[in-house]
Amino acid sequence: MQIRTSIEPTGAVTLTVDGPFTGAAVADFERALERARCLDQPMFLDLTGVPTIDQPTLKYLVNVMRHDFRLIICPAFVEQWIARQDGG
């Protein structure tokens, strides 16, 4: 899995995840998220390149989304899983 961080001219930060998002990748994602938090700007998440996500990582992601960032781009199947996980 790869995580790219981009900063828009407005200051908004987007984390883009590519590859399978599993428990093994959570530590790397958490480090990228922490660096983004330090910028104190709106944060967004792009999951376009995520072909799979495991259940524990999905639960982690839903929890983090409640506090840190907004999901902007996501494969339909991941969006459906997130909606179910989040009670929606």
Short mmCIF file of all heavy atoms in Angstrom, two decimals, residues 3-6 13-17 29-37 43-47 69-70 72-73:
data_model
loop_
_atom_site.label_atom_id
_atom_site.label_comp_id
_atom_site.label_asym_id
_atom_site.label_seq_id
_atom_site.Cartn_x
_atom_site.Cartn_y
_atom_site.Cartn_z
N ILE A 3 0.70 5.61 0.45
CA ILE A 3 -0.08 6.75 0.91
C ILE A 3 0.61 8.01 0.41
O ILE A 3 1.80 8.21 0.67
CB ILE A 3 -0.17 6.79 2.44
CG1 ILE A 3 -0.74 5.49 2.97
CG2 ILE A 3 -1.01 7.99 2.89
CD1 ILE A 3 -0.52 5.28 4.44
N ARG A 4 -0.15 8.81 -0.34
CA ARG A 4 0.40 10.09 -0.82
C ARG A 4 -0.35 11.21 -0.11
O ARG A 4 -1.56 11.14 0.07
CB ARG A 4 0.22 10.23 -2.32
CG ARG A 4 1.06 9.27 -3.12
CD ARG A 4 0.96 9.51 -4.63
NE ARG A 4 -0.36 9.82 -5.15
CZ ARG A 4 -1.27 8.91 -5.51
NH1 ARG A 4 -1.00 7.62 -5.38
NH2 ARG A 4 -2.44 9.27 -5.98
N THR A 5 0.40 12.23 0.25
CA THR A 5 -0.19 13.41 0.86
C THR A 5 -0.04 14.57 -0.10
O THR A 5 1.06 14.83 -0.59
CB THR A 5 0.52 13.74 2.19
OG1 THR A 5 0.43 12.62 3.06
CG2 THR A 5 -0.11 14.95 2.85
N SER A 6 -1.13 15.24 -0.38
CA SER A 6 -1.06 16.43 -1.24
C SER A 6 -1.73 17.59 -0.51
O SER A 6 -2.69 17.41 0.24
CB SER A 6 -1.71 16.19 -2.59
OG SER A 6 -3.05 15.80 -2.44
N VAL A 13 -5.66 19.31 2.96
CA VAL A 13 -4.75 18.16 2.83
C VAL A 13 -5.55 16.94 2.38
O VAL A 13 -6.60 16.63 2.95
CB VAL A 13 -4.06 17.86 4.17
CG1 VAL A 13 -3.13 16.67 4.06
CG2 VAL A 13 -3.32 19.09 4.69
N THR A 14 -5.05 16.25 1.35
CA THR A 14 -5.68 15.02 0.89
C THR A 14 -4.70 13.87 1.05
O THR A 14 -3.58 13.94 0.58
CB THR A 14 -6.11 15.14 -0.59
OG1 THR A 14 -7.04 16.21 -0.71
CG2 THR A 14 -6.77 13.85 -1.07
N LEU A 15 -5.15 12.83 1.73
CA LEU A 15 -4.40 11.58 1.81
C LEU A 15 -4.99 10.64 0.77
O LEU A 15 -6.20 10.38 0.79
CB LEU A 15 -4.51 10.96 3.20
CG LEU A 15 -3.94 11.76 4.37
CD1 LEU A 15 -4.16 11.01 5.67
CD2 LEU A 15 -2.47 12.03 4.17
N THR A 16 -4.14 10.15 -0.12
CA THR A 16 -4.57 9.23 -1.16
C THR A 16 -3.96 7.86 -0.87
O THR A 16 -2.74 7.74 -0.74
CB THR A 16 -4.12 9.72 -2.55
OG1 THR A 16 -4.66 11.03 -2.75
CG2 THR A 16 -4.60 8.80 -3.65
N VAL A 17 -4.80 6.85 -0.76
CA VAL A 17 -4.35 5.50 -0.45
C VAL A 17 -4.49 4.65 -1.71
O VAL A 17 -5.53 4.65 -2.37
CB VAL A 17 -5.19 4.89 0.69
CG1 VAL A 17 -4.73 3.47 1.00
CG2 VAL A 17 -5.12 5.77 1.94
N PHE A 29 -0.51 4.44 7.72
CA PHE A 29 -1.59 5.42 7.54
C PHE A 29 -1.65 6.35 8.75
O PHE A 29 -1.81 7.56 8.60
CB PHE A 29 -2.93 4.70 7.36
CG PHE A 29 -4.06 5.65 7.15
CD1 PHE A 29 -4.28 6.22 5.90
CD2 PHE A 29 -4.91 5.98 8.19
CE1 PHE A 29 -5.32 7.12 5.70
CE2 PHE A 29 -5.94 6.87 8.00
CZ PHE A 29 -6.15 7.44 6.75
N GLU A 30 -1.50 5.80 9.94
CA GLU A 30 -1.55 6.61 11.16
C GLU A 30 -0.42 7.65 11.17
O GLU A 30 -0.63 8.80 11.56
CB GLU A 30 -1.47 5.71 12.40
CG GLU A 30 -1.71 6.41 13.69
CD GLU A 30 -3.12 6.96 13.87
OE1 GLU A 30 -4.09 6.36 13.37
OE2 GLU A 30 -3.25 8.02 14.50
N ARG A 31 0.77 7.27 10.71
CA ARG A 31 1.88 8.23 10.64
C ARG A 31 1.56 9.35 9.64
O ARG A 31 1.79 10.53 9.93
CB ARG A 31 3.18 7.53 10.26
CG ARG A 31 3.82 6.79 11.42
CD ARG A 31 5.22 6.30 11.08
NE ARG A 31 5.20 5.19 10.13
CZ ARG A 31 5.02 3.92 10.46
NH1 ARG A 31 4.85 3.58 11.73
NH2 ARG A 31 5.01 2.97 9.54
N ALA A 32 1.03 9.00 8.49
CA ALA A 32 0.66 10.02 7.49
C ALA A 32 -0.45 10.92 8.04
O ALA A 32 -0.42 12.14 7.84
CB ALA A 32 0.22 9.35 6.19
N LEU A 33 -1.40 10.33 8.72
CA LEU A 33 -2.49 11.09 9.31
C LEU A 33 -1.97 12.06 10.37
O LEU A 33 -2.39 13.22 10.43
CB LEU A 33 -3.52 10.14 9.91
CG LEU A 33 -4.77 10.75 10.52
CD1 LEU A 33 -5.53 11.58 9.51
CD2 LEU A 33 -5.65 9.65 11.08
N GLU A 34 -1.06 11.62 11.18
CA GLU A 34 -0.49 12.48 12.23
C GLU A 34 0.24 13.68 11.63
O GLU A 34 0.11 14.80 12.11
CB GLU A 34 0.44 11.67 13.14
CG GLU A 34 0.82 12.40 14.40
CD GLU A 34 -0.38 12.84 15.23
OE1 GLU A 34 -1.36 12.09 15.36
OE2 GLU A 34 -0.33 13.97 15.77
N ARG A 35 1.00 13.43 10.55
CA ARG A 35 1.68 14.55 9.87
C ARG A 35 0.65 15.52 9.30
O ARG A 35 0.83 16.74 9.38
CB ARG A 35 2.60 14.03 8.77
CG ARG A 35 3.85 13.34 9.31
CD ARG A 35 4.85 13.04 8.21
NE ARG A 35 4.34 12.13 7.19
CZ ARG A 35 4.45 10.81 7.21
NH1 ARG A 35 5.09 10.22 8.21
NH2 ARG A 35 3.95 10.07 6.24
N ALA A 36 -0.42 15.00 8.75
CA ALA A 36 -1.47 15.86 8.19
C ALA A 36 -2.17 16.66 9.29
O ALA A 36 -2.49 17.84 9.10
CB ALA A 36 -2.47 15.02 7.40
N ARG A 37 -2.40 16.04 10.42
CA ARG A 37 -3.04 16.74 11.55
C ARG A 37 -2.22 17.95 11.98
O ARG A 37 -2.78 18.98 12.35
CB ARG A 37 -3.18 15.80 12.74
CG ARG A 37 -4.29 14.83 12.66
CD ARG A 37 -4.33 13.95 13.91
NE ARG A 37 -5.34 12.94 13.83
CZ ARG A 37 -5.13 11.66 14.16
NH1 ARG A 37 -3.94 11.27 14.59
NH2 ARG A 37 -6.10 10.79 14.06
N MET A 43 -8.95 18.05 6.20
CA MET A 43 -8.35 16.84 5.65
C MET A 43 -9.39 16.02 4.90
O MET A 43 -10.53 15.90 5.33
CB MET A 43 -7.71 16.00 6.76
CG MET A 43 -6.51 16.65 7.39
SD MET A 43 -5.62 15.57 8.51
CE MET A 43 -6.83 15.30 9.77
N PHE A 44 -8.93 15.44 3.79
CA PHE A 44 -9.78 14.62 2.95
C PHE A 44 -9.08 13.30 2.66
O PHE A 44 -7.85 13.21 2.72
CB PHE A 44 -10.08 15.35 1.63
CG PHE A 44 -10.77 16.66 1.87
CD1 PHE A 44 -10.04 17.84 1.96
CD2 PHE A 44 -12.14 16.72 2.03
CE1 PHE A 44 -10.66 19.05 2.20
CE2 PHE A 44 -12.78 17.93 2.26
CZ PHE A 44 -12.03 19.09 2.35
N LEU A 45 -9.86 12.28 2.34
CA LEU A 45 -9.32 10.95 2.07
C LEU A 45 -9.79 10.47 0.70
O LEU A 45 -10.99 10.53 0.40
CB LEU A 45 -9.78 9.96 3.14
CG LEU A 45 -9.29 8.53 3.00
CD1 LEU A 45 -7.77 8.45 3.09
CD2 LEU A 45 -9.92 7.65 4.05
N ASP A 46 -8.85 10.02 -0.10
CA ASP A 46 -9.13 9.48 -1.43
C ASP A 46 -8.77 8.00 -1.43
O ASP A 46 -7.60 7.64 -1.27
CB ASP A 46 -8.29 10.24 -2.46
CG ASP A 46 -8.46 9.74 -3.88
OD1 ASP A 46 -9.02 8.64 -4.08
OD2 ASP A 46 -8.02 10.46 -4.79
N LEU A 47 -9.77 7.14 -1.56
CA LEU A 47 -9.56 5.69 -1.55
C LEU A 47 -9.74 5.08 -2.94
O LEU A 47 -9.98 3.88 -3.06
CB LEU A 47 -10.53 5.02 -0.57
CG LEU A 47 -10.39 5.39 0.90
CD1 LEU A 47 -11.46 4.70 1.73
CD2 LEU A 47 -9.00 5.03 1.42
N PHE A 69 -11.25 13.46 9.05
CA PHE A 69 -11.30 13.82 7.65
C PHE A 69 -12.61 13.42 6.99
O PHE A 69 -13.39 12.67 7.54
CB PHE A 69 -10.13 13.22 6.87
CG PHE A 69 -10.02 11.73 6.99
CD1 PHE A 69 -10.81 10.90 6.24
CD2 PHE A 69 -9.13 11.16 7.89
CE1 PHE A 69 -10.72 9.53 6.35
CE2 PHE A 69 -9.04 9.79 8.01
CZ PHE A 69 -9.83 8.97 7.24
N ARG A 70 -12.78 13.94 5.80
CA ARG A 70 -13.95 13.63 4.99
C ARG A 70 -13.54 12.75 3.83
O ARG A 70 -12.51 13.00 3.20
CB ARG A 70 -14.56 14.93 4.47
CG ARG A 70 -16.04 14.81 4.22
CD ARG A 70 -16.65 16.14 3.88
NE ARG A 70 -16.82 16.12 2.42
CZ ARG A 70 -16.64 17.14 1.64
NH1 ARG A 70 -16.27 18.29 2.12
NH2 ARG A 70 -16.81 17.04 0.35
N ILE A 72 -13.63 11.73 0.15
CA ILE A 72 -14.02 12.44 -1.07
C ILE A 72 -14.14 11.54 -2.29
O ILE A 72 -14.99 11.76 -3.13
CB ILE A 72 -13.08 13.63 -1.38
CG1 ILE A 72 -11.63 13.17 -1.50
CG2 ILE A 72 -13.25 14.72 -0.37
CD1 ILE A 72 -10.70 14.21 -2.07
N ILE A 73 -13.30 10.55 -2.39
CA ILE A 73 -13.36 9.64 -3.53
C ILE A 73 -13.18 8.22 -3.00
O ILE A 73 -12.25 7.96 -2.25
CB ILE A 73 -12.26 9.95 -4.57
CG1 ILE A 73 -12.35 11.40 -5.04
CG2 ILE A 73 -12.37 9.01 -5.76
CD1 ILE A 73 -11.23 11.84 -5.93
#
